[in-house]
């Protein structure tokens, strides 16, 4: 059940955080307050690490939060599953929008 909630929270973030990875930061602070998955200090650390690693910062943060959440469920296999679920939750709204636009452009 935690994975559905993780997907849902990051789906909302991906749906409404328009403007790139930095736009996800307020959503992550709200998520830190609403859930016990991570703290506000963890968000600050994620920003610092996410800025120094390759890739979009929003995806890096979603992967990290999913990893942390999955790790509390029972170890590394659950952590990897959590990372995948959170990352898919973040990018799924963009994929859906792109597919809708592509279908309009095709017709």
């Amino acid at each position: 059940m935690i994975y559905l909630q993780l997907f849902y929270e990051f789906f909302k973030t991906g749906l409404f955080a328009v403007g790139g990875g930095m736009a996800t930061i307020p959503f992550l602070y709200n998520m830190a307050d609403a859930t016990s998955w991570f703290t506000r200090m963890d968000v600050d650390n994620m920003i610092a690490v996410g800025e120094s690693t390759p890739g979009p910062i929003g995806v890096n943060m979603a992967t990290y939060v999913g990893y942390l959440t999955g790790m509390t469920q029972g170890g590394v296999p659950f952590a990897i599953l959590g990372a995948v679920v959170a990352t898919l939750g973040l990018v799924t709204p963009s994929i859906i929008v792109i597919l809708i636009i592509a279908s309009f452009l095709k017709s």
Side-chain angles (χ1 to χ4, degrees):
M1 195 58 150
I2 189 80
Y3 297 110
L4 287 174
Q5 186 180 7
L6 192 64
F7 183 86
Y8 176 70
E9 290 295 326
F10 278 102
F11 187 87
K12 288 191 309 187
T13 302
L15 189 62
F16 296 114
V18 178
M22 296 305 276
T24 63
I25 293 172
F27 291 96
L28 288 171
Y29 279 121
N30 290 336
M31 200 182 306
D33 294 337
T35 65
S36 61
W37 298 336
F38 54 95
T39 64
R40 285 180 161 258
M41 184 63 126
D42 289 334
V43 175
D44 295 338
N45 291 334
M46 285 188 286
I47 293 168
V49 172
E51 285 291 331
S52 63
T53 56
I57 188 170
V59 172
N60 290 344
M61 287 201 257
T63 305
Y64 182 68
V65 169
Y67 184 86
L68 285 180
T69 305
M71 188 62 86
T72 61
Q73 298 300 310
V76 174
F78 295 100
I80 293 171
L81 178 62
V84 169
V85 167
T87 304
L88 285 176
L90 186 72
V91 300
T92 299
S94 298
I95 292 170
I96 292 170
V97 169
I98 289 170
L99 290 174
I100 291 170
I101 291 171
S103 70
F104 282 122
L105 291 176
K106 187 177 180 181
S107 59

